[in-house]
Amino acid sequence: METLIGIACNDFVILASDMTHVNSLFVLKNDEDKLYRISKKLIMTVTGEAGDTVQFAEYIAKNIQLYKMRNGYELSPKAAATYTRRNLAEYLRSRTPYNVNLMLGGYDEKEGASLYLIDYLASMIQVPFTTNGYGGLITLSILDRYYKPDLTEDGAYNLILKCVQEIHKRLVLNLPNFKVTVVNKDGIKNLPDITPRTEPICN
């Protein structure tokens, strides 16, 4: 029932995730943060089993930080995605697999902005935009229609807002709030949360 939305443009990656935490048929909270800061220019958003998402995200984040301390430099988005996929694949073949789907986005001086989609079977692909969850059934066509690699941050935010408004309109599930984060050459910053009352940013 969770929904993730990711867009990679020329100079930045923007990720959005719903903030709803549910257990069976019950909504427990509407302010859950599903975005994890992995490094200064790397973010990850995870969906799946509640315990698995937090444990796996923190495991990856701490090990990437350990790599930086040991070697003196941070992993690029591609290297971090490959490391994450390998760990997910190893746990998949153990007795304690992680049931998680995730998006990993980041910015690197050489690689630029990049976005990776990794599913619970440890399949990985680099994509210009992607969605995950029931909301993705509605929003993928909107992203395909309006996505451009030269979008500004405001333009990408408005595109995600358009997707969320369609989710509010058409999805029977209640996903009122979405957290939005962008990563670029200057690092990671939070953009205003998207709620049913959010208005588009005027350029």
Side-chain angles (χ1 to χ4, degrees), residues 3-107:
T3 297
L4 309 177
I5 304 171
I7 301 174
C9 295
N10 292 336
D11 302 320
F12 64 91
V13 174
I14 186 168
L15 292 178
S17 68
D18 72 277
M19 301 171 70
T20 303
H21 180 66
V22 299
N23 185 7
S24 184
L25 300 176
F26 304 100
V27 175
L28 301 182
K29 57 191 301 190
N30 277 317
D31 58 355
E32 180 82 6
D33 189 355
K34 300 174 185 177
L35 290 161
Y36 299 88
R37 297 186 179 211
I38 305 301
S39 65
K40 291 181 180 179
K41 297 181 181 180
L42 194 64
I43 54 176
M44 180 168 63
T45 181
V46 190
T47 63
E49 296 293 333
D52 287 0
T53 56
V54 175
Q55 186 175 353
F56 185 73
E58 290 183 352
Y59 172 80
I60 294 298
K62 300 307 180 186
N63 276 278
I64 288 178
Q65 289 300 316
L66 178 62
Y67 183 93
K68 178 186 175 183
M69 288 188 291
R70 285 178 173 174
N71 297 278
Y73 62 91
E74 294 184 348
L75 290 174
S76 67
K78 183 177 181 180
T82 302
Y83 172 77
T84 303
R85 191 213 69 81
R86 191 193 71 183
N87 275 275
L88 198 57
E90 289 176 353
Y91 278 104
L92 182 66
R93 289 157 178 80
S94 72
R95 294 187 178 184
T96 56
Y98 286 105
N99 184 16
V100 296
N101 298 291
L102 61 95
M103 295 178 192
L104 193 146
Y107 183 89

Side-chain angles (χ1 to χ4, degrees), residues 105-125:
Y107 183 89
D108 182 73
E109 296 298 334
K110 295 181 179 179
E111 298 177 8
S114 52
L115 174 65
Y116 294 87
L117 175 65
I118 306 174
D119 69 4
Y120 73 102
L121 294 175
S123 299
M124 182 182 78
I125 186 172

